[in-house]
């Protein structure tokens, strides 16, 4: 399999999606979650994927993160053809390049905040001293220095999401994907969580792709990707839209 960039080839975007379809089969019924979509995303930008419930947002994010496979089409990240990778290749690719934040946090219940955050570094083979040092620094950055030994059920929703943000960023991935990261949080906490994610991504010039049905999240983005019935309606440069106002 050839997933590497070759000299002489045109430099491409960070994320490239070409003619991608995702179809779910439920008995006799066919659900077209993504209908032959193509677009690209640039490094260091913040994209907000906006659409109503059932429009295909989570499906698209899962495909981009290599958590699911398309039925048709190609997905390239940093020129690597992730849509054709096997599970082992994908796991390694994700470890080195991708962080993911879930709506329901998805922390491991038996592990402390410190252990949850340092877990991705365990898979990368870092020693415990380095892992703990980095995890403590990140938990401090998200304002949880006083909660290192708390387990998920001993923390509020907002605190759990901050732990999961620290976990997503600890490996310094090029791309962080987040699926409705503020979906379970109140307005004030949502704002804090959004400010945290965006400032962490900007600091390291990381690319951020956040799925939401909340139009207010779009205020933080560089680009808004409108998705509807499995189709990309348009991609709008958010800054320009704001400058006009
Ligand atoms: P969103 O995240 O925008 O709410 P999804 O991507 O979760 O939407 O779903 C898009 C469509 O695909 C919906 O009609 C949904 O019911 C369907 N769908 C999603 N996942 C599955 C699945 N695993 N099996 C069958 N249908 C699915
Ligand atoms: Mg969803």
């Amino acid at each position: 399999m050839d997933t590497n960039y070759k000299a002489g080839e045109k430099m491409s975007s960070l994320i490239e999606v070409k003619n991608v379809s995702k179809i779910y089969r439920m008995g006799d019924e066919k659900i077209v979650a993504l209908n032959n979509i193509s677009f690209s995303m640039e490094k260091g930008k913040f994209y907000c994927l906006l659409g109503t419930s059932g429009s295909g947002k989570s499906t698209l994010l899962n495909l981009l993160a290599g958590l699911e496979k398309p039925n048709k089409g190609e997905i390239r990240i940093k020129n690597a053809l992730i849509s054709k990778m096997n599970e082992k290749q994908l796991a390694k690719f994700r470890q080195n390049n991708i962080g993911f934040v879930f709506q329901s946090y998805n922390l491991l219940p038996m592990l402390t905040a410190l252990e949850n955050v340092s877990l991705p570094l365990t898979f990368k083979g870092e020693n415990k001293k380095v892992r703990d040092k980095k995890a403590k620094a990140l938990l401090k950055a998200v304002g949880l220095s006083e909660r290192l030994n708390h387990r998920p059920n001993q923390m509020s929703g907002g605190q759990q999401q901050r732990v999961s943000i620290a976990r997503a960023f600890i490996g310094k991935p090029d791309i962080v994907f987040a699926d409705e990261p503020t979906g379970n949080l109140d307005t004030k906490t949502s704002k804090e969580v959004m400010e945290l994610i965006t400032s962490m991504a900007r600091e390291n010039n990381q690319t951020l792709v956040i799925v939401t049905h909340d139009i207010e999240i779009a205020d933080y983005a560089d680009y808004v990707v409108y998705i509807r019935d499995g189709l990309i309606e348009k991609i709008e440069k958010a800054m320009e839209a704001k400058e006009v106002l």
Side-chain angles (χ1 to χ4, degrees):
M1 186 190 56
D2 178 15
T3 54
N4 293 318
Y5 172 73
K6 279 200 220 108
E9 275 179 9
K10 185 172 94 48
M11 255 321 267
S12 49
S13 304
L14 180 73
I15 300 176
E16 293 204 85
V17 174
K18 219 165 109 187
N19 302 120
V20 161
S21 292
K22 180 70 182 178
I23 297 147
Y24 293 109
R25 286 196 174 78
M26 305 267 293
D28 290 342
E29 203 191 347
K30 255 175 45 175
I31 300 162
V32 182
L34 295 173
N35 190 359
N36 195 32
I37 61 172
S38 301
F39 64 93
S40 60
M41 291 173 158
E42 304 304 326
K43 184 173 159 54
K45 302 291 183 201
F46 172 10
Y47 293 84
C48 174
L49 263 171
L50 193 65
T52 54
S53 176
S55 55
K57 304 182 299 294
S58 294
T59 303
L60 178 54
L61 205 70
N62 290 344
L63 292 183
L64 294 179
L67 300 169
E68 284 187 73
K69 282 250 185 331
N71 296 80
K72 195 177 95 28
E74 290 185 346
I75 300 172
R76 280 174 205 274
I77 296 183
K78 290 165 69 174
N79 261 308
L81 190 55
I82 66 154
S83 50
K84 287 274 149 55
M85 286 183 187
N86 63 33
E87 280 311 313
K88 203 172 158 202
Q89 292 168 317
L90 272 174
K92 190 154 185 22
F93 187 83
R94 279 198 301 264
Q95 260 172 39
N96 292 324
N97 299 286
I98 289 171
F100 207 105
V101 178
F102 300 87
Q103 176 174 352
S104 47
Y105 329 127
N106 288 22
L107 298 172
L108 293 178
M110 298 308 288
L111 301 187
T112 64
L114 187 70
E115 289 163 345
N116 266 289
V117 174
S118 62
L119 195 60
L121 298 182
T122 313
F123 298 132
K124 278 185 151 183
E126 293 254 35
N127 73 50
K128 183 161 163 36
K129 208 172 152 200
V130 174
R131 291 193 320 251
D132 282 358
K133 189 165 172 244
K134 287 187 180 171
K136 275 182 193 160
L138 263 184
L139 281 163
K140 184 169 181 223
V142 302
L144 290 176
S145 288
E146 310 294 309
R147 296 288 183 277
L148 301 183
N149 295 315
H150 281 57
R151 294 207 161 76
N153 69 3
Q154 297 168 326
M155 289 182 282
S156 69
Q159 288 172 338
Q160 289 181 64
Q161 195 59 305
R162 283 190 272 156
V163 173
S164 98
I165 290 165
R167 176 182 62 182
F169 279 95
I170 195 160
K172 288 214 175 355
D174 282 348
I175 310 171
V176 173
F177 294 109
D179 193 350
E180 311 248 13
T182 62
N184 290 347
L185 305 175
D186 61 69
T187 313
K188 182 171 168 279
T189 312
S190 294
K191 200 160 177 271
E192 288 165 6
V193 160
M194 278 311 300
E195 267 154 26
L196 194 58
I197 299 183
T198 50
S199 68
M200 290 184 92
R202 292 236 154 85
E203 212 166 285
N204 295 305
N205 195 29
Q206 284 151 311
T207 308
L208 196 55
V209 184
I210 297 191
V211 155
T212 184
H213 61 263
D214 179 0
I215 186 94
E216 290 196 14
I217 302 279
D219 282 348
Y220 296 88
D222 298 314
Y223 292 93
V224 184
V225 180
Y226 293 88
I227 178 165
R228 185 183 176 141
D229 294 335
L231 292 167
I232 304 286
E233 270 191 320
K234 58 179 173 178
I235 300 182
E236 210 169 65
K237 202 167 177 189
M239 291 306 177
E240 280 177 2
K242 269 180 249 164
E243 278 160 18
V244 174
L245 293 174

